[in-house]
Amino acid sequence: MSDITPLDKVGEFGLIRRIQETITLRQPSTTLGIGDDAAILTPTAQHDIVVSTDLLVEGVHFDLTFCPLKHVGYKAVAVNVSDIAAMNALPTQIVVGLAIGSRYSVEAIEELYEGMRLACEAYNVDLVGGDTTASRGGLTISITAMGQVETGRAVRRSGAQPNDLICVTGDLGGAFLGLQVLEREKAAFLADPEMQPELANYTYVLQRQLRPEARMDVIHELRDLGLTPTSMIDISDGLASEILHICTASGTGARIFSENLPAANPMLEVANEFNLDPIMCMLNGGEDYELLFTLPLADHAKIKNHPDITILGHITEKSDGVNLITKAGQPVPITAQGFQHF
């Protein structure tokens, strides 16, 4: 086992230097990265910059009992990139703020940053700076992500129009069920520390929870197809919550058909094991980080056969409400029952 280095042995600036040595800058718009009071970014006059910040708090957003620090680092970047994707933008830079509890070693923080580094490499993003401070509690991670989009092409939540198609990428509910598996195994471990977790049959849902991916691939594909969504949001707090956000911002209603909800077989199997309704998992589970977006009806032919995009339903007039249409054709009002931050 390698030696463990206390944080106070290298100090704040020694830690920053060690992190700086691992960072590679990739974006031509990054004029200056880590090492000064602020990064310098130089976009062209033809681009807008979009900026988003997310906090991840130990004990609220992640549990180190079952979340390796490298996975936490990767996920912290991915969920911020997902916010940039939801604006129809391409991510370019991030800055990272950490509040670090006294029990963390230098090597632990380096493991966290290794996960961030891998995510930055995957999404072609530069880590250009941030801040570190002490915490009297656990670990808190704050990431601000920046991206670029052609002037006028940023997509907001507020652009949906009646008759627009409601589309979603990938499949839903897996991350929520991955969390159920991890919580069950944690409870079993606390009851019997000698037990070994039984995780072999849950690879898919665990990956969806521990290492989600931002759907930048779909953003590039939409551009290749010449499509610009009228509204878009990423699914962090659950499909129900996000469609309500779009409808509230756009002043519309919506009809989503339950038979169209995209379900992966591993998710259905775990839902059955936990005796949970798969539709509830897909509507309210959260943390899937898929993209929910709307497109004009005229674009139907361009996406109807896309293997990773599902048409859930359509936007309606506000007076119609936001409803899930059952297989029997009955409308059920959609309410947000996903993750509540406070």
Side-chain angles (χ1 to χ4, degrees), residues 149-166:
V149 60
E150 295 86 348
T151 301
R153 289 197 61 190
V155 175
R156 306 179 185 185
R157 301 176 183 181
S158 57
Q161 299 291 325
N163 298 319
D164 281 356
L165 302 171
I166 302 171

Side-chain angles (χ1 to χ4, degrees), residues 184-186 188-200 202:
R184 181 185 67 185
E185 296 305 308
K186 177 185 177 181
F189 172 77
L190 292 175
D192 179 12
E194 299 298 321
M195 65 83 66
Q196 293 295 316
E198 298 178 6
L199 302 176
Y202 306 104

Side-chain angles (χ1 to χ4, degrees), residues 202-258:
Y202 306 104
T203 301
Y204 183 75
V205 295
L206 291 178
Q207 180 176 331
R208 294 287 283 167
Q209 168 58 221
L210 293 175
R211 187 167 165 167
E213 295 287 357
R215 297 310 306 263
M216 285 307 307
D217 56 329
V218 173
I219 295 300
H220 289 292
E221 289 171 11
L222 291 175
R223 288 168 178 242
D224 291 343
L225 290 169
L227 299 175
T228 300
T230 52
S231 68
M232 187 154 51
I233 192 171
D234 72 328
I235 301 177
S236 56
D237 298 330
L239 173 64
S241 177
E242 314 307 358
I243 189 61
L244 288 170
H245 281 314
I246 283 179
C247 290
T248 298
S250 299
T252 66
R255 288 166 63 90
I256 289 176
F257 295 87
S258 64

Side-chain angles (χ1 to χ4, degrees), residues 30-43:
T30 306
T31 301
L32 179 66
I34 297 172
D36 212 305
D37 287 316
I40 300 175
L41 314 179
T42 311

Side-chain angles (χ1 to χ4, degrees), residues 4 10 58 60 68 82 88 102 104 111 120 128 135 148 170-171 181 195 211 213 237 240 247 256 321:
I4 299 298
V10 298
E58 183 178 352
V60 178
S82 184
N88 196 38
S102 59
Y104 286 90
E111 182 183 355
C120 287
V128 296
S135 167
Q148 291 185 6
D171 55 84
V181 171
M195 65 83 66
R211 187 167 165 167
E213 295 287 357
D237 298 330
C247 290
I256 289 176

